[in-house]
Amino acid sequence: MANGADVKTLQKQLGHATAAMTLDVYAALWPERLGEDADAVECARGKALTPAGPAGGTVPLAQAA
């Protein structure tokens, strides 16, 4: 998982009943990734909250009002 392996694939290979079980068992091995995950969520949130511009781009929030 730390190298980008698909959780569902690992679940099947390890014989876990669910992907949640795989994550519960192994996710704690990479606590340093918490910052990366938080940044990724914040980036996605920012994109979702920014209105679309004329050509599908984005418009800064200050201009959108």
Side-chain angles (χ1 to χ4, degrees), residues 3-25:
N3 292 316
D6 179 69
V7 175
K8 289 296 287 182
T9 301
L10 291 174
Q11 169 207 340
K12 291 176 185 177
Q13 290 176 334
L14 295 169
H16 293 159
T18 65
M21 180 180 183
T22 305
L23 290 169
D24 287 342
V25 171

Side-chain angles (χ1 to χ4, degrees), residues 5-64:
D6 179 69
V7 175
K8 289 296 287 182
T9 301
L10 291 174
Q11 169 207 340
K12 291 176 185 177
Q13 290 176 334
L14 295 169
H16 293 159
T18 65
M21 180 180 183
T22 305
L23 290 169
D24 287 342
V25 171
Y26 295 104
L29 296 176
W30 301 280
E32 69 279 359
R33 303 269 328 256
L34 287 174
E36 293 174 31
D37 294 341
D39 291 343
V41 169
E42 182 60 26
C43 181
R45 179 183 171 278
K47 287 179 182 177
L49 294 176
T50 302
T58 58
V59 175
L61 289 177
Q63 293 179 4

